[in-house]
Amino acid sequence: RRITVMSGGSSSAGGEDITEEEIEKEFESLTVGDDGRLEETAVNGGFLFTDRDDIKRQRKAAYSFVKTLGMQILKGKDLVSVSLPVELFEPRSFLERLTDNWSYPMYLQRAADSSDPIERFKNVITFALAGLHCTCHDAKPFNPILGETYEGVYEDGTLVMCEQTSHHPPVSHWEVSHPRGLYKLTGYGTWAASFRGNSVKGQQSGPTRVKFHDGGMVEWELPFLWLHGVLWGERVLEYAGSMIFRDDANRL
């Protein structure tokens, strides 16, 4: 499958230098409460899902699923290796879902343009953290088949290429290349998820590295996530654990 244009998560074209005025305009478009927090923010933190009809539909399928497999599914059984009801899925493959992490490539452009290791490090961290909220979904993507590929082109010409390189265990590889060679983001990951009572714990494991035109490189891994309220209560997704960023050449 191939798409010709893949828009970034920002109102600015992917890879272009976003201005302070554009950032301010984008924030003004967000709906916030009296406390200044996004309405999608749960009281104790995390992303709050508010589509009651969608949650009701998913819970009906989840209850049926739990009854079929019995109590073993509530004790940490790996969800990647079992067949789930189709109502729990979104209409995308995991390879396409991966691209949600990279919705703000303009920060990699800024990092590439900077000769200061600290400023470059800060922009890479901003790129990685900014994409996390774009991954807040309560539906599961479909598992890719072995050899499946996904390709996309950002508006500035940045090329995205993903491929499923292993089926058992499931492993995906990716490469994001700037059209003028300013940076190349590469990595691979495996995905694991398991039921923990009324919650699902998920983890995308594997390094992501961005190498710049001057030889500099920054590496990091994603934290794990919890999806609470699978069967009852408020449905909230939150990231936990830590994200460790490394620039070994500059001892950062």
Side-chain angles (χ1 to χ4, degrees):
R1 294 176 295 163
R2 180 177 178 83
I3 57 175
T4 55
V5 175
M6 179 170 58
S7 299
S10 168
S11 58
S12 177
E16 295 181 358
D17 190 23
I18 188 170
T19 66
E20 298 299 328
E21 290 77 13
E22 288 176 309
I23 294 176
E24 182 177 347
K25 184 177 180 181
E26 184 162 325
F27 273 105
E28 287 177 351
S29 68
L30 300 175
T31 304
V32 298
D34 294 336
D35 59 357
R37 306 171 78 200
L38 290 175
E39 290 189 349
E40 294 86 356
T41 304
V43 174
N44 295 317
F47 186 92
L48 176 66
F49 295 94
T50 58
D51 189 334
R52 298 302 176 187
D53 291 336
D54 192 48
I55 292 174
K56 182 179 180 180
R57 176 182 57 82
Q58 289 189 356
R59 281 182 175 163
K60 182 179 179 180
Y63 274 118
S64 176
F65 175 67
V66 170
K67 289 179 182 178
T68 300
L69 289 186
M71 290 303 296
Q72 61 171 321
I73 196 64
L74 300 179
K75 297 179 180 179
K77 183 176 177 62
D78 184 11
L79 295 179
V80 176
S81 60
V82 299
S83 297
L84 299 173
V86 71
E87 291 87 354
L88 301 180
F89 287 81
E90 63 170 294
R92 295 193 296 172
S93 162
F94 178 68
L95 294 182
E96 183 176 356
R97 171 86 159 255
L98 276 171
T99 62
D100 292 351
N101 291 291
W102 314 318
S103 294
Y104 296 92
M106 69 285 295
Y107 292 110
L108 290 185
Q109 170 96 37
R110 285 185 174 186
D113 291 340
S114 176
S115 58
D116 182 349
I118 299 296
E119 286 300 313
R120 172 173 287 180
F121 202 57
K122 288 163 56 178
N123 276 287
V124 172
I125 293 173
T126 301
F127 164 79
L129 292 180
L132 287 182
H133 86 277
C134 298
T135 68
C136 292
H137 308 281
D138 59 348
K140 181 184 180 300
F142 285 97
N143 294 339
I145 61 175
L146 181 62
E148 180 179 336
T149 61
Y150 181 83
E151 301 178 25
V153 181
Y154 282 99
E155 294 172 353
D156 71 333
T158 297
L159 178 64
V160 177
M161 303 183 68
C162 305
E163 182 177 355
Q164 191 70 6
T165 53
S166 175
H167 189 59
H168 291 298
V171 180
S172 306
H173 279 73
W174 55 83
E175 179 177 294
V176 181
S177 304
H178 189 272
R180 299 194 305 277
L182 295 182
Y183 64 80
K184 180 177 290 187
L185 182 147
T186 61
Y188 64 88
T190 62
W191 177 257
S194 58
F195 255 121
R196 303 295 176 95
N198 189 35
S199 302
V200 169
K201 182 181 181 181
Q203 174 76 62
Q204 179 185 312
S205 302
T208 296
R209 304 181 182 93
V210 56
K211 187 172 183 178
F212 296 97
H213 57 94
D214 57 4
M217 185 174 70
V218 179
E219 178 180 322
W220 68 94
E221 291 198 26
L222 293 175
F224 65 87
L225 61 84
W226 283 103
L227 178 63
H228 303 291
V230 175
L231 299 174
W232 66 84
E234 285 192 331
R235 180 164 295 181
V236 176
L237 186 149
E238 59 180 342
Y239 282 96
S242 60
M243 292 180 71
I244 300 177
F245 295 79
R246 294 170 45 198
D247 177 352
D248 292 336
N250 292 293
R251 299 182 179 180
L252 298 176

Short mmCIF file of all heavy atoms in Angstrom, two decimals, residues 171-216:
data_model
loop_
_atom_site.label_atom_id
_atom_site.label_comp_id
_atom_site.label_asym_id
_atom_site.label_seq_id
_atom_site.Cartn_x
_atom_site.Cartn_y
_atom_site.Cartn_z
N VAL A 171 7.72 -8.17 14.65
CA VAL A 171 8.73 -7.11 14.65
C VAL A 171 8.51 -6.21 13.44
O VAL A 171 8.31 -6.69 12.33
CB VAL A 171 10.17 -7.69 14.60
CG1 VAL A 171 11.20 -6.55 14.59
CG2 VAL A 171 10.42 -8.63 15.76
N SER A 172 8.53 -4.90 13.67
CA SER A 172 8.39 -3.92 12.60
C SER A 172 9.65 -3.06 12.54
O SER A 172 10.21 -2.69 13.57
CB SER A 172 7.16 -3.02 12.85
OG SER A 172 5.99 -3.78 13.05
N HIS A 173 10.08 -2.75 11.32
CA HIS A 173 11.21 -1.83 11.10
C HIS A 173 10.70 -0.58 10.37
O HIS A 173 9.73 -0.66 9.61
CB HIS A 173 12.31 -2.49 10.26
CG HIS A 173 13.22 -3.38 11.04
ND1 HIS A 173 12.82 -4.62 11.51
CD2 HIS A 173 14.51 -3.22 11.44
CE1 HIS A 173 13.83 -5.19 12.16
NE2 HIS A 173 14.86 -4.35 12.13
N TRP A 174 11.37 0.54 10.60
CA TRP A 174 10.95 1.77 9.93
C TRP A 174 12.14 2.67 9.63
O TRP A 174 13.22 2.57 10.22
CB TRP A 174 9.94 2.53 10.79
CG TRP A 174 10.40 2.85 12.17
CD1 TRP A 174 11.19 3.91 12.58
CD2 TRP A 174 10.13 2.09 13.36
NE1 TRP A 174 11.39 3.85 13.93
CE2 TRP A 174 10.75 2.77 14.44
CE3 TRP A 174 9.39 0.94 13.62
CZ2 TRP A 174 10.68 2.29 15.74
CZ3 TRP A 174 9.31 0.47 14.92
CH2 TRP A 174 9.95 1.15 15.96
N GLU A 175 11.90 3.56 8.65
CA GLU A 175 12.89 4.55 8.25
C GLU A 175 12.16 5.80 7.79
O GLU A 175 11.23 5.74 6.99
CB GLU A 175 13.77 4.01 7.12
CG GLU A 175 14.83 5.00 6.64
CD GLU A 175 15.73 4.40 5.57
OE1 GLU A 175 16.47 3.46 5.88
OE2 GLU A 175 15.66 4.87 4.41
N VAL A 176 12.56 6.95 8.33
CA VAL A 176 11.99 8.24 7.96
C VAL A 176 13.14 9.11 7.46
O VAL A 176 14.05 9.42 8.23
CB VAL A 176 11.29 8.91 9.16
CG1 VAL A 176 10.67 10.24 8.75
CG2 VAL A 176 10.22 7.98 9.74
N SER A 177 13.12 9.48 6.18
CA SER A 177 14.26 10.15 5.55
C SER A 177 13.89 11.55 5.07
O SER A 177 12.91 11.71 4.32
CB SER A 177 14.77 9.34 4.36
OG SER A 177 15.11 8.02 4.75
N HIS A 178 14.65 12.54 5.50
CA HIS A 178 14.45 13.91 5.03
C HIS A 178 14.85 14.01 3.56
O HIS A 178 15.84 13.40 3.14
CB HIS A 178 15.28 14.89 5.87
CG HIS A 178 14.97 16.33 5.60
ND1 HIS A 178 15.61 17.05 4.62
CD2 HIS A 178 14.06 17.16 6.18
CE1 HIS A 178 15.12 18.29 4.62
NE2 HIS A 178 14.18 18.38 5.55
N PRO A 179 14.10 14.76 2.74
CA PRO A 179 14.38 14.78 1.30
C PRO A 179 15.75 15.34 0.94
O PRO A 179 16.30 15.00 -0.11
CB PRO A 179 13.24 15.65 0.73
CG PRO A 179 12.78 16.48 1.89
CD PRO A 179 12.92 15.59 3.09
N ARG A 180 16.32 16.19 1.80
CA ARG A 180 17.64 16.75 1.50
C ARG A 180 18.73 16.11 2.36
O ARG A 180 19.85 16.61 2.42
CB ARG A 180 17.62 18.27 1.74
CG ARG A 180 16.63 19.02 0.85
CD ARG A 180 16.88 20.52 0.85
NE ARG A 180 16.89 21.09 2.19
CZ ARG A 180 15.79 21.44 2.86
NH1 ARG A 180 14.60 21.27 2.30
NH2 ARG A 180 15.87 21.96 4.07
N GLY A 181 18.40 14.99 2.98
CA GLY A 181 19.40 14.26 3.74
C GLY A 181 19.80 14.89 5.05
O GLY A 181 20.87 14.56 5.58
N LEU A 182 18.97 15.77 5.61
CA LEU A 182 19.33 16.43 6.86
C LEU A 182 19.28 15.47 8.04
O LEU A 182 20.01 15.63 9.02
CB LEU A 182 18.39 17.61 7.12
CG LEU A 182 18.48 18.76 6.12
CD1 LEU A 182 17.53 19.90 6.52
CD2 LEU A 182 19.91 19.28 6.01
N TYR A 183 18.41 14.48 7.98
CA TYR A 183 18.33 13.48 9.04
C TYR A 183 17.71 12.21 8.50
O TYR A 183 17.03 12.20 7.47
CB TYR A 183 17.52 14.00 10.25
CG TYR A 183 16.07 14.28 9.93
CD1 TYR A 183 15.11 13.26 9.86
CD2 TYR A 183 15.65 15.59 9.68
CE1 TYR A 183 13.79 13.53 9.56
CE2 TYR A 183 14.32 15.87 9.38
CZ TYR A 183 13.40 14.84 9.33
OH TYR A 183 12.10 15.10 9.03
N LYS A 184 17.95 11.13 9.21
CA LYS A 184 17.31 9.84 8.91
C LYS A 184 16.95 9.19 10.24
O LYS A 184 17.82 8.94 11.08
CB LYS A 184 18.22 8.94 8.09
CG LYS A 184 17.58 7.58 7.77
CD LYS A 184 18.49 6.74 6.88
CE LYS A 184 18.58 7.32 5.47
NZ LYS A 184 19.32 6.41 4.55
N LEU A 185 15.67 8.93 10.42
CA LEU A 185 15.18 8.29 11.62
C LEU A 185 14.93 6.82 11.33
O LEU A 185 14.22 6.49 10.38
CB LEU A 185 13.89 8.98 12.10
CG LEU A 185 13.25 8.47 13.40
CD1 LEU A 185 12.58 9.63 14.14
CD2 LEU A 185 12.20 7.41 13.12
N THR A 186 15.53 5.95 12.11
CA THR A 186 15.38 4.51 11.90
C THR A 186 15.07 3.82 13.23
O THR A 186 15.31 4.38 14.31
CB THR A 186 16.65 3.88 11.30
OG1 THR A 186 17.74 4.09 12.21
CG2 THR A 186 16.99 4.51 9.96
N GLY A 187 14.57 2.61 13.15
CA GLY A 187 14.33 1.85 14.36
C GLY A 187 13.55 0.59 14.08
O GLY A 187 13.18 0.29 12.94
N TYR A 188 13.31 -0.16 15.13
CA TYR A 188 12.48 -1.35 15.03
C TYR A 188 11.77 -1.53 16.37
O TYR A 188 12.18 -0.98 17.40
CB TYR A 188 13.31 -2.59 14.70
CG TYR A 188 14.32 -2.98 15.76
CD1 TYR A 188 13.97 -3.84 16.82
CD2 TYR A 188 15.62 -2.49 15.72
CE1 TYR A 188 14.89 -4.19 17.78
CE2 TYR A 188 16.54 -2.84 16.69
CZ TYR A 188 16.17 -3.68 17.71
OH TYR A 188 17.09 -4.02 18.68
N GLY A 189 10.68 -2.28 16.34
CA GLY A 189 9.94 -2.46 17.58
C GLY A 189 9.10 -3.72 17.58
O GLY A 189 8.69 -4.21 16.52
N THR A 190 8.89 -4.23 18.76
CA THR A 190 7.94 -5.32 18.98
C THR A 190 6.83 -4.77 19.86
O THR A 190 7.02 -3.79 20.59
CB THR A 190 8.60 -6.52 19.67
OG1 THR A 190 9.08 -6.11 20.96
CG2 THR A 190 9.76 -7.04 18.83
N TRP A 191 5.66 -5.42 19.81
CA TRP A 191 4.52 -4.94 20.57
C TRP A 191 3.97 -6.06 21.44
O TRP A 191 3.77 -7.18 20.96
CB TRP A 191 3.44 -4.42 19.64
CG TRP A 191 2.19 -3.98 20.35
CD1 TRP A 191 1.02 -4.67 20.44
CD2 TRP A 191 1.99 -2.79 21.10
NE1 TRP A 191 0.11 -3.97 21.19
CE2 TRP A 191 0.67 -2.81 21.61
CE3 TRP A 191 2.81 -1.69 21.40
CZ2 TRP A 191 0.14 -1.79 22.39
CZ3 TRP A 191 2.28 -0.67 22.17
CH2 TRP A 191 0.97 -0.71 22.65
N ALA A 192 3.75 -5.75 22.70
CA ALA A 192 3.16 -6.71 23.63
C ALA A 192 2.04 -6.02 24.40
O ALA A 192 2.15 -4.83 24.73
CB ALA A 192 4.21 -7.25 24.59
N ALA A 193 0.97 -6.75 24.67
CA ALA A 193 -0.15 -6.21 25.44
C ALA A 193 -0.80 -7.33 26.22
O ALA A 193 -0.87 -8.47 25.76
CB ALA A 193 -1.17 -5.55 24.51
N SER A 194 -1.28 -7.01 27.41
CA SER A 194 -1.90 -8.04 28.25
C SER A 194 -2.97 -7.41 29.13
O SER A 194 -2.89 -6.24 29.51
CB SER A 194 -0.85 -8.73 29.12
OG SER A 194 -0.17 -7.79 29.94
N PHE A 195 -4.00 -8.23 29.43
CA PHE A 195 -5.06 -7.81 30.35
C PHE A 195 -4.53 -7.85 31.78
O PHE A 195 -3.85 -8.78 32.18
CB PHE A 195 -6.26 -8.76 30.25
CG PHE A 195 -7.42 -8.16 29.51
CD1 PHE A 195 -7.92 -8.77 28.36
CD2 PHE A 195 -8.04 -7.01 29.97
CE1 PHE A 195 -9.00 -8.23 27.68
CE2 PHE A 195 -9.13 -6.47 29.30
CZ PHE A 195 -9.61 -7.08 28.14
N ARG A 196 -4.87 -6.82 32.55
CA ARG A 196 -4.56 -6.79 33.98
C ARG A 196 -5.82 -6.34 34.71
O ARG A 196 -5.96 -5.19 35.10
CB ARG A 196 -3.39 -5.84 34.26
CG ARG A 196 -2.11 -6.15 33.50
CD ARG A 196 -1.51 -7.49 33.90
NE ARG A 196 -0.34 -7.81 33.10
CZ ARG A 196 0.91 -7.55 33.47
NH1 ARG A 196 1.15 -6.95 34.62
NH2 ARG A 196 1.93 -7.87 32.69
N GLY A 197 -6.78 -7.27 34.87
CA GLY A 197 -8.04 -6.92 35.51
C GLY A 197 -8.88 -6.04 34.60
O GLY A 197 -9.30 -6.46 33.52
N ASN A 198 -9.10 -4.79 35.00
CA ASN A 198 -9.90 -3.85 34.22
C ASN A 198 -9.03 -2.97 33.34
O ASN A 198 -9.49 -1.97 32.80
CB ASN A 198 -10.73 -2.97 35.17
CG ASN A 198 -11.75 -2.11 34.44
OD1 ASN A 198 -12.31 -2.52 33.43
ND2 ASN A 198 -11.96 -0.91 34.94
N SER A 199 -7.77 -3.33 33.18
CA SER A 199 -6.83 -2.52 32.42
C SER A 199 -6.06 -3.38 31.42
O SER A 199 -5.99 -4.60 31.55
CB SER A 199 -5.84 -1.82 33.36
OG SER A 199 -6.48 -1.00 34.29
N VAL A 200 -5.49 -2.71 30.43
CA VAL A 200 -4.59 -3.35 29.48
C VAL A 200 -3.25 -2.63 29.56
O VAL A 200 -3.19 -1.39 29.53
CB VAL A 200 -5.13 -3.28 28.04
CG1 VAL A 200 -4.05 -3.72 27.04
CG2 VAL A 200 -6.36 -4.16 27.89
N LYS A 201 -2.18 -3.39 29.70
CA LYS A 201 -0.83 -2.84 29.70
C LYS A 201 -0.20 -3.12 28.36
O LYS A 201 -0.21 -4.25 27.88
CB LYS A 201 0.01 -3.45 30.82
CG LYS A 201 1.43 -2.88 30.89
CD LYS A 201 2.23 -3.54 32.00
CE LYS A 201 3.64 -2.94 32.08
NZ LYS A 201 4.45 -3.58 33.14
N GLY A 202 0.33 -2.09 27.72
CA GLY A 202 0.95 -2.24 26.41
C GLY A 202 2.36 -1.69 26.38
O GLY A 202 2.69 -0.76 27.14
N GLN A 203 3.19 -2.25 25.52
CA GLN A 203 4.58 -1.81 25.43
C GLN A 203 5.09 -2.01 24.02
O GLN A 203 5.02 -3.11 23.47
CB GLN A 203 5.47 -2.59 26.40
CG GLN A 203 6.95 -2.30 26.26
CD GLN A 203 7.35 -0.97 26.86
OE1 GLN A 203 7.22 -0.76 28.06
NE2 GLN A 203 7.86 -0.06 26.04
N GLN A 204 5.57 -0.93 23.42
CA GLN A 204 6.32 -1.02 22.16
C GLN A 204 7.79 -0.97 22.53
O GLN A 204 8.29 0.05 22.99
CB GLN A 204 5.97 0.13 21.21
CG GLN A 204 6.74 0.07 19.90
CD GLN A 204 6.47 1.27 19.02
OE1 GLN A 204 5.31 1.65 18.80
NE2 GLN A 204 7.52 1.90 18.50
N SER A 205 8.49 -2.09 22.37
CA SER A 205 9.89 -2.19 22.77
C SER A 205 10.80 -2.12 21.55
O SER A 205 10.51 -2.72 20.51
CB SER A 205 10.13 -3.51 23.52
OG SER A 205 9.30 -3.61 24.65
N GLY A 206 11.90 -1.41 21.69
CA GLY A 206 12.86 -1.29 20.61
C GLY A 206 13.34 0.13 20.47
O GLY A 206 12.62 1.08 20.80
N PRO A 207 14.57 0.33 19.99
CA PRO A 207 15.16 1.67 19.90
C PRO A 207 14.70 2.45 18.67
O PRO A 207 14.40 1.87 17.63
CB PRO A 207 16.66 1.38 19.82
CG PRO A 207 16.72 0.07 19.08
CD PRO A 207 15.51 -0.71 19.54
N THR A 208 14.63 3.75 18.83
CA THR A 208 14.47 4.67 17.70
C THR A 208 15.69 5.58 17.68
O THR A 208 16.08 6.12 18.72
CB THR A 208 13.19 5.52 17.84
OG1 THR A 208 12.05 4.65 17.80
CG2 THR A 208 13.08 6.52 16.70
N ARG A 209 16.30 5.74 16.52
CA ARG A 209 17.51 6.55 16.40
C ARG A 209 17.31 7.58 15.28
O ARG A 209 16.76 7.26 14.23
CB ARG A 209 18.73 5.69 16.06
CG ARG A 209 19.01 4.56 17.04
CD ARG A 209 20.24 3.79 16.62
NE ARG A 209 20.53 2.66 17.52
CZ ARG A 209 20.09 1.43 17.32
NH1 ARG A 209 19.37 1.14 16.23
NH2 ARG A 209 20.38 0.47 18.19
N VAL A 210 17.77 8.79 15.53
CA VAL A 210 17.80 9.79 14.47
C VAL A 210 19.25 10.21 14.26
O VAL A 210 19.93 10.63 15.19
CB VAL A 210 16.89 11.00 14.80
CG1 VAL A 210 17.25 11.65 16.11
CG2 VAL A 210 16.93 12.01 13.66
N LYS A 211 19.72 10.02 13.02
CA LYS A 211 21.10 10.37 12.68
C LYS A 211 21.07 11.59 11.77
O LYS A 211 20.34 11.61 10.78
CB LYS A 211 21.80 9.20 11.98
CG LYS A 211 23.29 9.44 11.74
CD LYS A 211 23.98 8.19 11.22
CE LYS A 211 25.48 8.42 11.06
NZ LYS A 211 26.18 7.19 10.60
N PHE A 212 21.89 12.59 12.09
CA PHE A 212 21.87 13.85 11.36
C PHE A 212 22.98 13.91 10.32
O PHE A 212 23.90 13.09 10.31
CB PHE A 212 21.98 15.02 12.35
CG PHE A 212 20.81 15.11 13.28
CD1 PHE A 212 20.88 14.57 14.56
CD2 PHE A 212 19.63 15.71 12.88
CE1 PHE A 212 19.80 14.64 15.42
CE2 PHE A 212 18.53 15.78 13.73
CZ PHE A 212 18.61 15.24 15.00
N HIS A 213 22.88 14.89 9.45
CA HIS A 213 23.79 15.02 8.30
C HIS A 213 25.24 15.19 8.71
O HIS A 213 26.16 14.88 7.94
CB HIS A 213 23.35 16.21 7.43
CG HIS A 213 23.29 17.50 8.20
ND1 HIS A 213 24.33 18.39 8.25
CD2 HIS A 213 22.31 18.02 8.97
CE1 HIS A 213 23.99 19.43 9.00
NE2 HIS A 213 22.77 19.23 9.46
N ASP A 214 25.48 15.70 9.94
CA ASP A 214 26.85 15.91 10.39
C ASP A 214 27.38 14.75 11.23
O ASP A 214 28.45 14.85 11.82
CB ASP A 214 26.94 17.21 11.20
CG ASP A 214 25.99 17.23 12.40
OD1 ASP A 214 25.32 16.19 12.64
OD2 ASP A 214 25.91 18.27 13.07
N GLY A 215 26.63 13.64 11.28
CA GLY A 215 27.07 12.46 12.02
C GLY A 215 26.52 12.35 13.43
O GLY A 215 26.70 11.31 14.07
N GLY A 216 25.89 13.40 13.94
CA GLY A 216 25.31 13.35 15.27
C GLY A 216 24.15 12.37 15.34
O GLY A 216 23.46 12.13 14.34
#
